[in-house]
Amino acid sequence: MSAQPPSGGGPAAHLDPSWGVGTRAIHAGQPPEPVTGAVMTPIFQTSTYAQPHPGAWPWEYSRTHNPTRSALQAALAALEGATHGLCFSSGLAAIDTVIRALPTGAKVLCGDDVYGGTYRLFTKEWGRFGLQFTFVDTTNPELVVPEGTALVWLESPTNPLLKTSDIAAIAAKAHAVGALVVVDNTFATPVFQRPLELGADVVVHSTTKYLNGHSDVIGGVILTSDDALAARYAFLQNAVGAVPGPMDCFLVLRGLKTLHVRMERHQQSARSIVAWLQGREDVARVHYPGFGGMVSFVLKGDLDAATRFVKATRLFTLAESLGGVESLIELPAIMTHASIPAEVRAAIGLDDGLIRLSVGIEEEADLRRDLERAFAAAAAV
Ligand SMILES: *Cc1c(COP(=O)(O)O)cnc(C)c1O
C-alpha cells in the first residue's frame, strides 16, 4: 500500500479499471505489502505513527487514517465503482454520518420498509434535531419527490418484504429537485446491483452482512464519487470518531475475497428454496426479488405456528442479522422489526407471521430437509 494516506479516505491506486467484481474483491486496494511482500494486508494494530520530522509524516493517528482501513475502503470503493470509501464501526454509524452531514431542518424522503434500526435512528433521534422524515412506498412508479427534498433514502430490495424500487427513475426525479439519492445496498451487494451506476449519489452498507459474510464483525461503509460529499464524510469520520479497528477491517477484507463466489451460491440455493416454497400448500405467500440470498414467506396458520416453525430448524439458526455463510431464520415482527410500531407494520403489509430466511451456503439438500422438519413441527399442535 502507498505511504501516503489517501485524501478523504479515498482509495489508493491499486485498481485496474478493466477488473471485474470478483477480481476487485480480491485485489483492489490490496497490493502486496511493500516492506515484506506479505500477500495479505497486515493488521496495522497501532494507534499512532512515529514521525521522522514534526508534522512531516502523512500517517499521524489511527482515528484519522489506518493502513488496514485504507485498504478496505479502497477495495469497497472499487466494488461499487466509487472513487471514495469511508468505513465506520457499524452500518448504523455510516447511516448516521450521511444524515449528520445534512443541514438543520432538511427534508428526507425515506422508503417505508427500511431496516428497523434506520427507522429508529431517523424517527427517534434525528427528528429531535429538526430533520423531517417522510416515509413513502418507493416501489410505487408514481412516486413524487417533492420540491425542497434534500435527500431520498432507499433500500432496494427492502427488508423484510424484499420489494424493489427503480433506482434510476427515482434518481432522475430526485436530481430534478436537487435532492441527493442514497441507497442502502446491504441486501443486494455490488455483485448484483451497483446503485452509483444507476444514478445514486451515495451507497451505504452494513459490512456486517454479506460483505464480511462470516458473522464475526460489525461494520459499515459510505461510498461515493462526489469529492465534496466525500470530504464532508471524511471530516465527520475523524471528528465524530465512529471508526472500525484494524482487526475488524482485516476480517472484512478477508471475507470480501470470496464475496462473488458466496453470492452465487447464496442465490442458487435461495432460488431453488423459493421454487419449492411456492409449490407448498402450507405457504400463503413467498417474497423474493429474483436475485440474492434473502427470502421471506408467510406460513398459513397463526403466529404460534410461525413460532413453532422458527424454533424447529437446526441448520437455520434462530437469530437476527443475515448474509453469513450459515443460514439464519427469524420472525421480523418480533425480532429485527420490533422497533417499528404495530400499526406501521400492518400498514406496509408486514405480517406478524412473516418468516425471514438468510439462505446460507450449506448443502442445499440439507437446508431443505431442515425446513421440512420445521413445516412438520409447525403443523403439529
Ligand atoms: C444490519 C443492517 C443495517 C445496520 O447495520 P449494523 O452493522 O448492524 O449497524 C443497516 N441496513 C441494513 C439493510 C441492514 O441489514
Side-chain angles (χ1 to χ4, degrees):
M1 68 215 42
S2 72
Q4 200 72 20
S7 71
H14 197 68
L15 170 66
D16 183 324
S18 73
W19 288 347
V21 165
T23 307
R24 288 174 186 229
I26 296 169
H27 293 289
Q30 306 160 75
E33 193 270 325
V35 176
T36 61
V39 166
M40 187 59 201
T41 304
I43 306 165
F44 284 88
Q45 193 75 47
T46 187
S47 60
T48 191
Y49 306 85
Q51 305 195 7
H53 184 78
W57 193 235
W59 300 92
E60 43 183 41
Y61 190 60
S62 277
R63 172 163 31 73
T64 324
H65 294 110
N66 175 278
T68 315
R69 192 176 94 207
S70 295
L72 175 60
Q73 292 178 156
L76 293 172
L79 281 171
E80 286 284 7
T83 54
H84 302 276
L86 284 312
C87 282
F88 292 83
S89 54
S90 69
L92 277 174
I95 292 167
D96 179 81
T97 302
V98 173
I99 299 302
R100 187 180 290 275
L102 292 172
T104 325
K107 293 192 169 79
V108 177
L109 196 66
C110 181
D112 61 8
D113 186 19
V114 293
Y115 178 69
T118 301
Y119 180 85
R120 179 177 57 201
L121 176 67
F122 289 1
T123 56
K124 296 237 163 89
E125 190 56 20
W126 282 110
R128 289 199 302 128
F129 294 95
L131 276 86
Q132 298 173 51
F133 297 89
T134 308
F135 295 90
V136 291
D137 179 2
T138 56
T139 66
N140 176 4
E142 310 297 315
L143 176 75
V144 174
V145 180
E147 204 68 50
T149 303
L151 187 149
V152 179
W153 189 279
L154 293 176
E155 261 179 46
S156 186
T158 60
N159 171 21
L161 295 173
L162 305 170
K163 296 186 291 180
T164 53
S165 301
D166 185 341
I167 295 172
I170 295 171
K173 289 177 194 175
H175 292 158
V177 299
L180 290 174
V181 176
V182 183
V183 178
D184 181 335
N185 204 31
T186 300
F187 272 43
T189 80
V191 173
F192 296 128
Q193 170 173 279
R194 290 184 290 280
L196 299 180
E197 292 174 3
L198 301 172
D201 302 285
V202 178
V203 165
V204 299
H205 278 276
S206 167
T207 55
T208 310
K209 315 295 171 47
Y210 286 113
L211 296 181
N212 177 57
H214 293 73
S215 308
D216 50 12
V217 164
I218 298 286
V221 68
I222 304 177
L223 304 154
T224 184
S225 294
D226 181 312
D227 293 343
L229 281 177
R232 178 86 180 108
Y233 299 146
F235 172 84
L236 289 171
Q237 184 191 40
N238 182 52
V240 178
V243 292
M247 178 72 189
D248 283 357
C249 292
F250 169 86
L251 285 169
V252 180
L253 271 174
R254 181 186 163 125
L256 206 57
K257 289 182 189 281
T258 54
L259 176 70
H260 51 303
V261 181
R262 285 185 282 112
M263 292 317 294
E264 275 167 28
R265 180 62 177 269
H266 283 298
Q267 172 166 280
Q268 185 190 319
S269 294
R271 282 181 171 167
S272 110
I273 285 172
V274 164
W276 174 70
L277 288 174
Q278 280 167 339
R280 291 190 63 104
E281 304 247 300
D282 40 9
V283 171
R285 252 192 335 278
V286 183
H287 301 273
Y288 185 67
F291 61 91
M294 298 301 295
V295 177
S296 60
F297 66 98
V298 180
L299 191 66
K300 285 185 187 157
D302 55 8
L303 182 58
D304 287 347
T307 304
R308 283 196 296 279
F309 191 101
V310 301
K311 287 173 74 174
T313 51
R314 282 191 229 149
L315 289 176
F316 281 89
T317 302
L318 179 60
E320 301 201 359
S321 199
L322 61 111
V325 290
E326 54 288 287
S327 293
L328 301 180
I329 189 167
E330 67 125 357
L331 279 178
I334 297 175
M335 298 169 65
T336 48
H337 291 64
S339 54
I340 299 178
E343 62 277 12
V344 177
R345 290 202 306 266
I348 62 172
L350 200 172
D351 211 294
D352 279 353
L354 185 83
I355 294 171
R356 190 185 78 177
L357 304 178
S358 175
V359 178
I361 62 170
E362 301 93 338
E363 297 292 340
E364 196 218 311
D366 294 330
L367 293 180
R368 216 185 276 201
R369 262 197 302 278
D370 198 40
L371 294 174
E372 285 277 13
R373 183 190 5 259
F375 276 114
V381 191

